[in-house]
């Protein structure tokens, strides 16, 4: 599951388009129209877009990036149900010590992510 959820605001899109233009001034103007359309269709969030732009600026090895360099960026974590964890007990008696219940949009029950992922990505704990 992606660690990103939320909205994509026009202000963030414009700010990140400016950053891209400054970092890669040789991109054609039509690039931004296509990129912005695809960002909406792929349901990007403000944070995911900011992280994607930072990633491409830091790692792009070619003279200019493609839209796919930005659109393919995501961070995913493994999300398990309570039943999944119970199923792992036979192989690891301390499996529940490694996972923490989290809130996931659209779910009315807790799901579980590794404790280090909860901290690293700021996932919302179930009891918050």
């Amino acid at each position: 599951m992606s660690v990103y959820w939320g909205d994509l605001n026009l202000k963030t899109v414009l700010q990140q388009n400016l950053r891209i233009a400054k970092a890669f001034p040789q991109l054609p103007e039509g690039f931004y129209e296509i990129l912005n359309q695809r960002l909406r269709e792929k349901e990007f969030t403000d944070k995911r877009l900011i992280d994607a732009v930072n990633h491409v600026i830091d790692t792009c090895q070619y003279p200019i990036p493609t839209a796919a360099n930005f659109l393919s960026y995501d961070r995913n974590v493994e999300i398990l149900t309570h039943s999944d964890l119970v199923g792992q007990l036979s192989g690891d008696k301390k499996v529940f010590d490694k996972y923490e219940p989290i809130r996931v949009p659209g779910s009315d029950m807790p799901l579980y992510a590794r404790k280090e992922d909860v901290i690293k990505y700021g996932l919302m704990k179930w009891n918050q």
Side-chain angles (χ1 to χ4, degrees):
M1 181 186 94
S2 178
V3 301
Y4 300 107
W5 53 74
D7 296 324
L8 179 62
N9 297 297
L10 180 59
K11 180 179 178 182
T12 302
V13 172
L14 295 174
Q15 288 171 337
Q16 296 311 304
N17 278 217
L18 286 173
R19 290 184 66 223
I20 295 168
K22 287 179 183 177
F24 305 103
Q26 59 276 53
L27 284 168
E29 279 190 43
F31 174 85
Y32 299 97
E33 181 180 347
I34 292 168
L35 176 65
N36 295 338
Q37 175 189 12
R38 297 300 299 142
L39 290 171
R40 287 188 301 276
E41 290 173 5
K42 291 183 72 66
E43 298 180 351
F44 261 64
T45 67
D46 286 344
K47 180 70 172 138
R48 183 176 174 193
L49 177 57
I50 292 166
D51 289 352
V53 170
N54 288 337
H55 176 75
V56 173
I57 288 171
D58 292 347
T59 64
C60 185
Q61 297 180 5
Y62 298 104
I64 58 172
T66 66
N69 293 123
F70 297 96
L71 297 169
S72 64
Y73 182 85
D74 202 357
R75 292 284 181 232
N76 291 289
V77 295
E78 181 181 34
I79 302 296
L80 301 174
T81 65
H82 187 269
S83 296
D84 294 332
L85 290 177
V86 169
Q88 293 183 17
L89 279 172
S90 62
D92 183 358
K93 299 293 183 206
K94 295 187 178 189
V95 70
F96 277 94
D97 295 339
K98 299 174 186 174
Y99 288 82
E100 186 153 358
I102 61 167
R103 288 192 182 279
V104 174
S107 177
D108 59 351
M109 57 184 238
L111 295 172
Y112 293 81
R114 295 185 71 78
K115 287 183 177 183
E116 57 266 20
D117 288 339
V118 172
I119 294 166
K120 182 176 182 178
Y121 298 113
L123 301 176
M124 188 181 304
K125 296 180 183 179
W126 180 255
N127 58 3
Q128 289 181 330

